[in-house]
Amino acid sequence: QDEVSNIEFEVMSVISPDAKGNLVMDMYEPIQASKFYEGISKQEHKNALHSLWNGVLSTNDYTSFVQKIAAANLSDQQKLIMLQNISGYLGQTYNDDMFADNEHVVVSDDKMFEGIKSFVTKKKETDVIPTGICGNINTTVAKTAMSLGFDAWLQNGVRRSGDSAATAHIWAGLVA
């Protein structure tokens, strides 16, 4: 028996936080515009999110979390839905203080999972635990992708937006 009750699942399957933490009613429709997700049913989408939330809510450390979501019988499309959500959740835990200090600090997998869990279970914005910066976030995403059977990597480069100064950045990539 998983930790997410039927009632919670019904609510969670239609309400998800967007990149700014605002609640969005249905995250299924936007992915339908992608050729990669063409043909995925609304139920398959719900099952992917259910597996993700069940993994977050029923575990207390990164290793257990990854084992739980890897054990779910999901397609590559569904695994990528989970990874996109994990990446989005971690983006909400971005540690602005660490960025301002201009120092890359190694953050443990468990601390990164703690950030994911704090975002998923938050009652208010201040409940979200800051974790790391782009390198930490994308390392966690790449490790999780590899645990789900994907070939994944990190790459770095320089990012520039408009007239702003260039900043170093780290991305994760994977082959599905």
Side-chain angles (χ1 to χ4, degrees):
Q1 181 81 24
D2 62 42
E3 296 293 319
V4 180
S5 72
N6 289 336
I7 294 170
E8 287 175 311
F9 174 56
E10 286 304 315
V11 171
M12 290 178 171
S13 65
V14 295
I15 300 175
S16 298
D18 68 8
K20 294 181 182 175
N22 301 313
L23 293 181
V24 176
M25 291 306 291
D26 188 350
M27 297 304 292
Y28 172 72
E29 297 305 323
I31 69 166
Q32 288 302 292
S34 165
K35 286 209 181 278
F36 181 82
Y37 290 114
E38 197 169 69
I40 193 167
S41 72
K42 193 164 196 161
Q43 187 59 49
E44 290 170 317
H45 184 258
K46 282 183 179 183
N47 290 347
L49 294 177
H50 180 262
S51 295
L52 172 58
W53 289 317
N54 183 50
V56 170
L57 297 174
S58 67
T59 59
N60 292 312
D61 62 82
Y62 176 78
T63 301
S64 299
F65 165 66
V66 169
Q67 289 171 344
K68 182 91 172 182
I69 64 172
N73 186 22
L74 300 174
S75 69
D76 285 350
Q77 290 173 316
Q78 290 171 303
K79 290 175 185 176
L80 287 173
I81 289 168
M82 286 197 303
L83 287 167
Q84 288 172 325
N85 279 272
I86 290 167
S87 180
Y89 299 163
L90 286 170
Q92 297 302 308
T93 72
Y94 193 91
N95 191 328
D96 292 315
D97 292 336
M98 186 184 294
F99 178 76
D101 291 343
N102 201 24
E103 296 273 339
H104 177 80
V105 177
V106 175
V107 179
S108 73
D109 294 338
D110 287 339
K111 180 69 174 181
M112 298 302 288
F113 173 73
E114 187 181 346
I116 293 169
K117 192 164 194 161
S118 74
F119 180 75
V120 170
T121 61
K122 75 178 189 250
K123 304 229 183 319
K124 55 188 183 303
E125 290 303 314
T126 55
D127 293 340
V128 178
I129 297 168
T131 56
I133 56 177
C134 58
N136 308 109
I137 290 168
N138 287 298
T139 296
T140 299
V141 171
K143 282 182 179 179
T144 306
M146 289 186 282
S147 296
L148 294 175
F150 294 110
D151 290 331
W153 63 88
L154 294 174
Q155 61 193 51
N156 67 338
V158 175
R159 187 175 81 172
R160 182 179 302 250
S161 179
D163 293 333
S164 66
T167 57
H169 189 64
I170 299 174
W171 294 269
L174 64 91
V175 176

